[in-house]
Amino acid sequence: MKNVAVILAGGTGKRMGAYLPKQFLKIAGKSIIEHSIAIFEQHAGISEICVVIHSNFVTNVEHIVSEAGFSKVHKILCGGKERSDSSLAAILAYEKEPNVNLIFHDAVRPFVNQRIIDDVVSSLAEGKSVAVAIPSTDTIFKLNDDKCIESVPPRDYLYRAQTPQAFSCETIKKAYDLALRDPNFKASDDCGVVLKYLPKEPIHIVEGDENNIKITFEQDLAKGENLIDL
């Protein structure tokens, strides 16, 4: 099977409040997206990398890929308004190729590590659909419409989602084909699409890492600098 890392970088970073999307902000002198691409570039189990980006920033990615010498980046695609649009762009780009796995990763999670990718690739080799997550250390409240506590789910069954999320191209395409026929389809992450439209497809959990953080707010940049120092 051909393992393709799909770096989802279509966001415009409004929550960060910066003049550039957050994936282009720098940590330790390199853009966040460069750190993310580099992790997959270095992994022997990754055959190819596809970057999905807003059309306004394609040239930015082309420059980063050229300057860093990333040889595995074979496709730079334009994403859409929702995350699901970006995933779908990658699915359509690879749907006609046989034996392809798509490994979807948030560009703004630059600290995914080789062990996580190892485990994802190994699970894919066993024919599994895969999500990365870590156990919740906090108690979670489920609220009702009045913003009052309705229930307290057992923490043993609660995990915090990270990325990558990975599937055979055939599986994720089948899920999106069904989703796009649904007039009530609401965009969600790829696991959510598979879970709803292919309910008999088990999605196996690979243990994530506390350092596999998502850079969302300005203060997260400082956390990222600290992780680089470590």
Side-chain angles (χ1 to χ4, degrees), residues 89-104:
I91 293 164
L92 295 176
Y94 288 95
E95 64 176 339
K96 294 181 180 178
E97 292 191 30
N99 303 320
V100 172
N101 291 321
L102 298 180
I103 302 171
F104 298 97

Side-chain angles (χ1 to χ4, degrees), residues 13 22 35 39 48 52 62 66 74 77 90 94 101 125 143 149 159 165 173 179 189-190 192-193 219 226:
K22 55 191 173 183
H35 285 290
I39 296 293
E48 185 174 319
V52 188
E62 289 174 341
S66 175
H74 291 186
L77 307 175
Y94 288 95
N101 291 321
L143 306 184
I149 296 173
Y159 276 64
Q165 297 180 356
K173 183 180 185 302
D189 70 332
D190 301 303
V193 175
Q219 56 266 34
N226 290 335

Side-chain angles (χ1 to χ4, degrees), residues 117-192:
I117 301 173
D118 282 344
D119 290 348
V120 169
V121 168
S122 295
S123 294
L124 287 170
E126 296 171 6
K128 297 176 180 178
S129 295
V130 189
V132 173
I134 55 176
S136 175
T137 55
D138 297 316
T139 297
I140 305 296
F141 294 149
K142 181 182 178 183
L143 306 184
N144 59 22
D145 292 338
D146 297 321
K147 301 296 182 184
C148 294
I149 296 173
E150 180 178 284
S151 64
V152 183
R155 203 164 59 191
D156 290 348
Y157 297 98
L158 298 177
Y159 276 64
R160 291 155 47 206
Q162 298 183 339
T163 62
Q165 297 180 356
F167 317 85
S168 70
C169 189
E170 181 182 6
T171 295
I172 192 66
K173 183 180 185 302
K174 189 183 299 183
Y176 269 93
D177 283 347
L178 293 169
L180 294 174
R181 293 176 202 157
D182 181 359
N184 298 314
F185 171 57
K186 292 184 179 180
S188 68
D189 70 332
D190 301 303
C191 281

Side-chain angles (χ1 to χ4, degrees), residues 15 22 83 106 108-110 212-217 220:
R15 282 178 289 184
K22 55 191 173 183
R83 176 201 168 95
D106 295 331
V108 289
R109 287 189 187 271
N212 186 19
I213 63 171
K214 186 175 183 180
I215 306 296
T216 303
F217 302 105
D220 295 329

